Amino acid sequence: MNFIKRFSFALTFLTRIPFPLKTEYNDQLPSSSMGLYPLIGLIIGVILIVFSELSIIFLTKSITNILMLILLVYLTGGLHLDGFIDSIDGLFSCRKKDKILEIMHDSLIGSFGAIAVILLFLLKFNLFLELTGNFRIPVILLMAIISRWMIVFAAWKYPLAVSSSLGKGFNYNLSWKQLFEGSTYLIILIFSLHYLFSFPFYLSLIIFLISLLVTHLFSKYVISKIDGLTGDIYGAINEIIEVLVLLTALILKGVL
C-alpha cells in the first residue's frame, strides 16, 4: 500500500497533527500503517524536544516540563491516556471478564482510573524534571519511539479480546511485515541516536529489553483476565512504556 496513505493514517490517528493530503479509508489501513508507528513516535519526540529547548530559554525547568507534559497530551489527543484510564478501571475492578470489558468500554472515569492517571502525571512530570544533560534528548526520543513500537509488537504477538471494537481494526491481517517494518525503523533510529548524541548502544538495548519484558508480562496478565488485548490495552501499554523508558534511563544513569 502507498507509503503516503499509510503515513497519513498513522499520523492523523496517533496525533492531532494535520496532514495536507486526504486519505480515503479502507479496512487495510489500520494494520498496514502500524509499521510506521515508530516514525510517528519520532515526530512526537522531536516536537517535544524543540519545544523544551526553546521554552527553557524563557521559563524555569519546572514550568517547561509541565508544559511539555501538557503538549504531549495535546499532540496525542489523549488517545493512549484514555486507554490507560479505561484499562486500569477495568483490570482493578476485580470482576469477571464480561464485566471488566463492560467497564473498559464505559466512557465514564472510575476511581481507579482517576487515581492512576494522577499518579502517572506526577511520575512522568518528575521524570522529565530529572532528565537533564546529554541524556535528555536521546531518552525523550527513545520514550516516544519504543513505546509505539511496543504497540505494534503487542498487536502482532498477542490475541485480541473477543469483544474488542477499536482493537479489531488493528489486528486485521496484522503480520510479521508490519513488525519487521516497525523494527527496521526502530533499529535505524537507535543507531542514529548513537551517532548523533553519542548515546551508548548498550543503554538503548537494556531499555528496550526491559520494556519488552514488561510489555510481555503486562499482556499475559491482561490475557489471564479477559483472554486477549483491546484498543484500550494498546493505549495502556504505550503509557506504561513511556514512563518505564524514562525511569529505566534515569536508574541506569545513576548506576553506570
Side-chain angles (χ1 to χ4, degrees):
M1 187 174 292
N2 185 284
F3 176 87
I4 298 299
K5 288 184 179 180
R6 296 191 299 121
F7 180 81
S8 171
F9 182 87
L11 182 69
T12 53
F13 178 78
L14 292 181
T15 76
R16 289 177 176 268
I17 302 170
F19 193 79
L21 300 177
K22 289 186 177 181
T23 301
E24 186 175 342
Y25 179 84
N26 64 67
D27 289 340
Q28 300 294 331
L29 266 177
S31 59
S32 64
S33 67
M34 290 188 76
L36 302 176
Y37 277 19
L39 289 183
I40 307 304
L42 175 65
I43 292 171
I44 293 171
V46 168
I47 292 174
L48 292 176
I49 289 167
V50 171
F51 173 83
S52 175
E53 294 298 302
L54 292 176
S55 179
I56 200 66
I57 298 173
F58 308 101
L59 302 170
T60 64
K61 286 172 55 180
S62 294
I63 299 299
T64 293
N65 285 286
I66 289 175
L67 291 176
M68 191 169 73
L69 182 56
I70 293 173
L71 177 61
L72 177 58
V73 174
Y74 174 78
L75 283 174
T76 59
L79 175 67
H80 307 305
L81 204 58
D82 180 66
F84 172 79
I85 294 169
D86 289 341
S87 297
I88 296 299
D89 274 335
L91 295 173
F92 278 75
S93 66
C94 299
R95 305 290 183 87
K96 292 184 178 180
K97 173 187 173 181
D98 291 342
K99 188 61 178 178
I100 291 175
L101 288 168
E102 182 183 333
I103 293 171
M104 289 172 67
H105 292 159
D106 193 337
S107 60
L108 298 177
I109 299 178
S111 56
F112 288 120
I115 293 169
V117 75
I118 291 171
L119 294 176
L120 180 75
F121 279 145
L122 286 173
L123 181 56
K124 194 174 288 188
F125 164 70
N126 281 283
L127 289 171
F128 279 152
L129 196 61
E130 293 294 324
L131 203 59
T132 58
N134 296 332
F135 256 54
R136 185 172 176 83
I137 292 178
V139 170
I140 288 175
L141 290 174
L142 280 177
M143 173 201 76
I145 296 165
I146 290 178
S147 60
R148 281 149 188 87
W149 183 90
M150 290 298 165
I151 296 176
V152 185
F153 170 75
W156 170 79
K157 175 68 174 177
Y158 305 106
L160 192 67
V162 173
S163 66
S164 177
S165 55
L166 176 61
K168 285 181 181 177
F170 292 86
N171 230 19
Y172 186 83
N173 291 333
L174 191 66
S175 71
W176 63 268
K177 293 180 180 179
Q178 285 78 43
L179 182 68
F180 179 78
E181 182 181 27
S183 301
T184 301
Y185 290 130
L186 176 68
I187 292 170
I188 291 172
L189 293 171
I190 286 176
F191 271 81
S192 298
L193 292 181
H194 172 73
Y195 289 109
L196 292 174
F197 304 103
S198 298
F199 193 78
F201 286 127
Y202 72 91
L203 289 183
S204 295
L205 181 60
I206 293 173
I207 292 170
F208 172 78
L209 290 176
I210 291 175
S211 298
L212 186 62
L213 176 62
V214 170
T215 299
H216 171 71
L217 294 175
F218 179 68
S219 297
K220 296 297 286 186
Y221 169 74
V222 171
I223 292 169
S224 72
K225 294 289 186 179
I226 58 174
D227 299 329
L229 307 188
T230 68
D232 285 331
I233 296 299
Y234 296 155
I237 287 172
N238 183 86
E239 293 295 331
I240 291 169
I241 298 304
E242 280 190 348
V243 167
L244 184 66
V245 169
L246 298 174
L247 183 61
T248 304
L250 286 172
I251 292 173
L252 292 174
K253 183 181 179 182
V255 172
L256 302 175

